[in-house]
Amino acid sequence: MPLTSVADRLRESMWRSANDKRLKRLQRVVDAMPENPPEAPTSFDATSDAELAGFLAVAGEVAGREVGLDPFPNQYLAAAALLRGFSIELATGEGKTLVGAMAAAGWALEGRHVHVLTANDYLAARDADWMGPLYRGLGLTCAAVQADQDLTARQTAYAADITYSSVAEAGFDLLRDRLAARPGDRTGARREVVLVDEADAVLLDEARVPLVLAADAEPHRDEHALGLAAYVRGLEAGRDYVVAPDRRTVHLTDDGLRRVEDDHPDRDLFGTDSEFLVSLNLALHAHAALERDVDYLVADDRVWLVSGSRGRVDRLQRWPDGLQLAVEAKEALETAPGLQVLDQLVIAELVGGYDKLVGMSATMRSAEEELESLYGLQVAVIPSHLPCRRNDHPTRLHATSGHRDAALADLVRESGERGRPVLVATQSVRESERIADLLRGLGVECVLLNARNATEEAAIISRAGEAGRVTVSTQMAGRGTDVVPSPEAVDAGGLLVVGVGRFPSARLDDQLRGRAGRQGDPGESVFLASLADRLVTDNDPDHPEPAVVDGGGEVEQCRANRRVLGVVDHAQRVSDGDQRNLRWLSWRYGELLRRQRTHLVEVRETCLEGPEALDRLAEHAPEEVAELDERVGEDELEEGARLALVAAIDAAWSAHLGHAAELREGIHLRVLAREDPLTEFEKEMGAAYQGLSGRILDDAVAALLEAPVVDGRLDLESLGSRIPSATWAYTVTDNELGDDFTRMGRALRRRLTGRG
Ligand code: ADP
C-alpha cells in the first residue's frame, strides 16, 4: 500500500490527539521510509531518523513476506513510537502483536534483550509462534516461556533475542533467580527491555496482586483464629451480620457490633484492640461468604481455592494470609501444613528491574497521568487505520436490578433473533453464571465463558462473532483474542457488547467496548446499570431517587431525572479515585521493602558469585572462622561459607516479610491512635532491617560451626539443605477483600467521627 495515500487520513485523526507534536515527527520518519528497503540490518540506532525509517521498511517487508501481514501505515507509526520510547494506545484489533514484534526486533538489533509480557501462557506461546518468522527473517531468535517448563527449557528460552512470557512467569522467574542456591540455577534472563501488552491492566488493575514463592512449613495451630471461627458460628445471619446478595461481602450490623462489644467487655474494639475486629471480620467472611466445595475444596489437609464454578482447583492462587488462615480455622484444619513465604514481588518491582519499560494497550490515554507518575511512561495515541464505526450508547439506568435484568433479557433475545452476535460482560464469575441461567431460563441459548482455561477461552471468544451467538463472560475473559463478526453478523449490525453494570473505572468500560467495532467493523456497545449496582451502593449511597421511570423501570432520559442520571458516572469517579489512592498507597508501602530487598539481593549475588561470603564471615567472627580454617580445606570453607550465608539471608528475608505482613495488616488502624500508619510502618520496618545484617552473620557463622566435619571434610550437603527450596508459586487473589477493608475503615470512621 502506498504510504502517502493514507498519510492524509492519518493526519486528520491524529492531530486531534494530545501528543500531536511527537507523532508529527514520527510521521515524517514513516513518510521517509524507502520504497525499496535495504538489506536487513545487523544493527541499528533508533535515535537516527534515517536508520529508523530504513529499519521500519525492512521490518515491514519481512513481515509481509514471512508472516503474511503487510503493516498498515499506523502500525509503522506505532512501531516507530515504541522504538522512540513511547508507550502506545492503539485500538483493539489494530494489530498490536505485529507492532510489538517490529519494535522488539528493533531493540534486539540495537543489541538489547527483549521480554514481551502477555496476559497468559497461551498468548505468549501464540505470539512467539506467530511472529517467529518475522524475527528469523531479520536474523533474530525468539522463544516463549511456559509454566510447565523446567530450568533447562527456561534457560534456553531466555537465551533467545526476544522472549515472550506471561507476566506471572516473568515474575516467578525473577523470584526464583533471586533465591537460586547456585549461580547455575538461575534462568539467565537478562532484563533489559520489557514490552508489556495490555499495559494498563497489568500495571494498574493488577498492580497490587503479589506474586509469591513459598516453601512448606510446619503445621501450626492458631488458637486465636480457631476461637474466632467458633465465635462467629454463633452469630445470627440477618440480625448480627448481613451478607450482600452477591455474597461478595459480609458486614456486622449495629446490633452485631454491639453484641461483639458485649461479648468482649475487656476489649477496646474501637481503640487499642481494633485489630481484633479485623480478624473477626475475616472469620466472619470465611464463615458466611465462602462456601466449602464452591469457593474452595478441602483436600490433603489443605484449603484449595476454586476459581470458576466447575470445580477447577486453582493451585496458583491463595487468599491473603489472614483470610486463608480464617478459612483453615473454619475447617478446623489444625494440621494444615503451613506455607513459609520466601519472597514476593508486585508488578512494579518486576518491570522496575528492566533498563527500559514500554507498554501498549487500547486504553492508556485516560490513565496516562498515573502511568507516568508511577512508571514514568509517556503515552502516544496512535490513530486507527480505519475510522471507528462503533456506536456507543449512553448507559441505560434502571431503578432496580430486577428491572435491569428484564431489560437485559429483552435486549439480548431481540438482538439474537435478528442474527446479531451479543457479548454480555459481567463483573464476576458468579454474576456471569446467574445471567447465563437467567437467559437460558427464558429460552435464550448462550455460551458461558469464565476465566478457567486461556486456550479454551480463546477458542470460545474467537467464535463470539458468529451470527446470532450469545456469549456471556467476565470482563477480561478471553483477552487478547479478537472477536471477528461473520459476514451475516456484519449485515445484522456487527457485534453488540452489553455491559451488566458499569465497571469501577471508565477505562475498564472502554476495554469492554473495544471488543466491538474493530478495524472499521460495525458494532454497538451499551451498559445496563441499576441503582442497586454495587458501584452505586458502595460509592454514592445517598443518591437522589428518579423522578420518572418508564413501565420497565428504566430511568427516563429527561430533565427531571438529570441528577439521578449522573449517579453512575459520579459513583464511577469515586471508585476510580479510591482505586487510584489504594494503588498509590500500596506503592508507597512497598517502596521501603523494595529498596531493602534490592540491597539484600545485591549482597546475596556477590556472595553467590565469589569468595566474599567467607571474607564477611571471617570479619564478623575472626577467631571461630580461623579455627575452622585449620580443620578443613580452603575451597570447602569458601563453599560452606557461601551456602551458610545464602541460607541465612533467605531465612532472614522470609522472616522480615512475615513481620511486614503482620504489621501491615493492622497498621491502618493506627489512624485511630492518631498516628500516621505509613510513617509508623516505615519506622518499624527500617528498624527491623537495621538488625537484619548482624543477625544474618550470626546465624551463618553458627550454621558453619555446627556443620559436621568428618575426616577433615565439611558437610556441605547439610549446609546446602538449609537453603529452603520454593515448592509453591502463586498469586494472592485479587478478590474484594481490599474493598471490604476500605468499607470497614469507612464504617469505623463513621462511628468514631459521626461522618463517613
Ligand atoms: P490487537 O492486539 O491490537 O487487538 P492483534 O494483534 O490481535 O490486535 O491483531 C488483530 C487482527 O488483525 C489479527 O487477526 C491480525 O491477523 C490482523 N492484522 C494485524 N495486522 C494486520 C495487517 N497489517 N494486515 C492485515 N491484518 C492484520
Side-chain angles (χ1 to χ4, degrees):
M1 179 179 320
L3 291 164
T4 39
S5 68
V6 260
D8 286 341
R9 202 171 59 224
L10 270 177
R11 273 186 204 108
E12 231 174 79
S13 48
M14 191 191 309
W15 306 145
R16 269 180 265 127
S17 80
N19 10 51
D20 53 349
K21 272 206 203 100
R22 323 201 271 230
L23 286 186
K24 221 182 265 183
R25 205 176 123 68
L26 289 171
Q27 180 64 51
R28 279 202 295 274
V29 175
V30 173
D31 287 346
M33 276 167 48
E35 295 245 335
N36 296 312
E39 288 297 292
T42 48
S43 72
F44 105 105
D45 170 13
T47 58
S48 143
D49 282 4
E51 289 201 25
L52 182 55
F55 165 74
L56 291 174
V58 179
E61 176 79 17
V62 177
R65 217 172 39 220
E66 304 292 334
V67 188
L69 300 175
D70 276 316
F72 301 121
N74 67 332
Q75 288 179 308
Y76 285 117
L77 187 65
L82 287 174
L83 283 166
R84 281 285 163 84
F86 295 111
S87 294
I88 56 161
E89 170 168 308
L90 182 60
T92 311
E94 291 286 313
K96 279 185 282 298
T97 315
L98 174 59
V99 167
M102 289 201 288
W107 288 310
L109 285 173
E110 285 189 314
R112 300 195 275 183
H113 273 266
V114 186
H115 291 176
V116 183
L117 303 191
T118 59
N120 54 48
D121 273 16
Y122 163 77
L123 291 175
R126 184 199 73 176
D127 292 356
D129 210 41
W130 189 12
M131 294 297 141
L134 166 63
Y135 294 123
R136 286 192 288 279
L138 289 165
L140 299 165
T141 55
C142 89
V145 171
Q146 299 283 291
D148 58 8
Q149 282 172 345
D150 63 11
L151 179 63
T152 318
R154 279 169 204 265
Q155 287 169 332
T156 311
Y158 283 112
D161 297 312
I162 293 107
T163 309
Y164 283 82
S165 96
S166 70
V167 177
E169 284 309 311
F172 290 139
D173 281 337
L174 173 57
L175 285 168
R176 290 189 195 108
D177 283 353
R178 297 204 304 210
L179 289 170
R182 276 163 228 86
D185 290 351
R186 289 176 298 194
T187 61
R190 271 162 291 177
R191 299 181 177 90
E192 293 170 4
V193 180
V194 62
L195 173 62
V196 183
D197 197 7
E198 314 239 25
D200 57 325
V202 172
L203 299 177
L204 300 178
D205 305 324
E206 286 148 31
R208 295 193 300 125
V209 180
L211 303 173
V212 183
L213 285 193
D216 283 311
E218 289 297 304
H220 58 277
R221 188 185 156 86
D222 192 312
E223 296 297 341
H224 181 59
L226 288 168
L228 281 173
Y231 177 73
V232 295
R233 232 170 274 143
L235 295 178
E236 201 178 306
R239 203 193 59 167
D240 297 326
Y241 63 88
V242 189
V243 186
D246 59 5
R247 304 231 341 270
R248 289 204 296 185
T249 55
V250 187
H251 66 265
L252 287 168
T253 58
D254 281 346
D255 278 350
L257 268 174
R258 232 176 332 246
R259 175 163 174 191
V260 173
E261 274 177 298
D262 292 347
D263 290 343
H264 301 88
D266 46 342
R267 287 204 186 260
D268 175 14
L269 294 185
F270 297 100
T272 47
D273 285 333
S274 48
E275 281 164 41
F276 174 78
L277 215 49
V278 175
S279 20
L280 183 94
N281 262 289
L282 288 170
L284 191 59
H285 192 97
H287 169 66
L290 297 176
E291 208 176 315
R292 181 167 173 165
D293 297 330
V294 176
D295 300 298
Y296 62 93
L297 304 178
V298 178
D300 306 330
D301 277 339
R302 279 181 191 278
V303 168
W304 302 96
L305 259 74
V306 172
S307 73
S309 63
R310 313 253 168 113
R312 195 176 77 101
V313 166
D314 199 328
R315 285 173 192 266
L316 284 177
Q317 291 199 327
R318 262 171 79 86
W319 287 299
D321 276 354
L323 183 59
Q324 187 85 24
L325 185 69
V327 177
E328 283 163 6
K330 169 185 172 185
E331 296 297 336
L333 293 179
E334 297 168 27
T335 54
L339 283 189
Q340 181 198 358
V341 173
L342 299 178
D343 199 4
Q344 66 178 48
L345 54 73
V346 289
I347 306 298
E349 198 172 345
L350 170 65
V351 297
Y354 288 79
D355 304 332
K356 186 188 192 74
L357 161 67
V358 191
M360 45 185 193
S361 113
T363 45
M364 299 261 272
R365 191 205 327 232
S366 57
E368 183 175 11
E369 212 180 300
E370 191 179 0
L371 287 168
E372 177 158 14
S373 70
L374 294 183
Y375 300 96
L377 296 191
Q378 284 192 307
V379 180
V381 180
I382 310 294
S384 39
H385 121 88
L386 293 172
C388 179
R389 286 204 285 151
R390 189 183 64 234
N391 196 349
D392 296 324
H393 296 282
T395 297
R396 289 173 54 187
L397 181 64
H398 297 81
T400 68
S401 49
H403 289 119
R404 194 262 324 273
D405 288 353
L408 173 76
D410 281 350
L411 178 65
V412 172
R413 185 169 37 202
E414 187 232 336
S415 308
E417 279 167 6
R418 284 194 292 125
R420 183 150 203 213
V422 187
L423 178 66
V424 181
T426 63
Q427 318 234 350
S428 69
V429 172
R430 273 223 180 93
E431 174 115 299
S432 67
E433 278 156 6
R434 194 183 63 80
I435 299 284
D437 285 347
L438 175 88
L439 291 173
R440 285 179 187 141
L442 296 168
V444 180
E445 279 285 312
C446 64
V447 185
L448 176 63
L449 174 67
N450 48 38
R452 259 169 299 124
N453 171 322
T455 311
E456 207 179 288
E457 273 182 13
I460 297 178
I461 206 85
S462 69
R463 296 188 54 199
E466 290 173 11
R469 196 167 158 107
V470 177
T471 310
V472 180
S473 82
T474 51
Q475 194 247 9
M476 288 304 273
R479 65 206 227 174
T481 303
D482 241 14
V483 182
V484 184
S486 66
E488 298 113 289
V490 168
D491 288 342
L495 180 69
L496 169 66
V497 169
V498 185
V500 183
R502 293 261 299 270
F503 290 97
S505 89
R507 195 165 40 74
L508 297 175
D509 287 351
D510 289 344
Q511 280 175 11
L512 177 63
R513 285 200 180 97
R515 290 254 178 195
R518 40 155 314 272
Q519 294 202 0
D521 285 335
E524 274 180 277
S525 77
V526 66
F527 284 85
L528 302 187
S530 94
L531 289 169
D533 288 351
R534 217 178 121 158
L535 182 70
V536 175
T537 53
D538 279 2
N539 298 292
D540 191 359
D542 306 320
H543 60 78
E545 290 302 321
V548 200
V549 294
D550 71 8
E554 184 168 344
V555 179
E556 286 184 25
Q557 306 272 342
C558 66
R559 217 190 149 82
N561 281 335
R562 197 176 52 85
R563 285 197 39 232
V564 66
L565 284 167
V567 162
V568 177
D569 285 337
H570 175 251
Q572 192 178 55
R573 279 194 301 274
V574 172
S575 144
D576 198 19
D578 275 356
Q579 289 299 316
R580 205 178 299 194
N581 286 340
L582 267 169
R583 281 195 288 269
W584 182 82
L585 203 63
S586 71
W587 177 280
R588 290 294 317 276
Y589 269 99
E591 240 171 2
L592 177 69
L593 281 179
R594 281 200 291 277
R595 274 205 308 278
Q596 294 176 339
R597 186 56 178 149
T598 307
H599 177 240
L600 207 56
V601 165
E602 270 166 24
V603 174
R604 194 186 189 278
E605 289 282 298
T606 44
C607 292
L608 208 58
E609 303 275 4
E612 195 163 310
L614 184 55
D615 297 345
R616 282 181 185 247
L617 295 193
E619 198 179 304
H620 186 69
E623 279 167 35
E624 288 90 338
V625 173
E627 198 234 323
L628 193 60
D629 197 9
E630 281 170 17
R631 292 199 288 143
V632 301
E634 176 80 15
D635 283 355
E636 240 166 84
L637 189 59
E638 254 180 32
E639 174 74 0
R642 191 175 65 75
L643 293 172
L645 194 57
V646 164
I649 289 176
D650 292 349
W653 181 251
S654 170
H656 192 66
L657 278 181
H659 180 48
E662 252 169 47
L663 194 60
R664 183 68 225 267
E665 225 160 70
I667 198 103
H668 57 287
L669 296 162
R670 298 220 182 165
V671 186
L672 305 176
R674 303 205 179 283
E675 290 174 43
D676 170 32
L678 181 58
T679 314
E680 291 305 307
F681 179 80
E682 294 199 326
K683 219 156 57 186
E684 286 199 30
M685 290 319 294
Y689 192 74
Q690 288 298 314
L692 215 60
S693 57
R695 219 170 36 248
I696 289 173
L697 290 169
D698 285 347
D699 289 354
V701 169
L704 196 59
L705 295 178
E706 268 169 29
V709 179
V710 185
D711 300 335
R713 299 189 68 85
L714 192 60
D715 186 356
L716 293 176
E717 209 156 298
S718 81
L719 280 169
S721 68
R722 300 175 72 96
I723 302 177
S725 57
T727 36
W728 302 94
Y730 58 86
T731 59
V732 179
T733 70
D734 188 23
N735 68 2
E736 282 68 35
L737 254 193
D739 297 352
D740 261 5
F741 282 117
T742 325
R743 216 185 333 275
M744 201 180 85
R746 275 189 206 156
L748 277 174
R749 261 200 317 268
R750 242 196 306 262
R751 263 182 92 88
L752 289 167
T753 60
R755 59 196 154 80

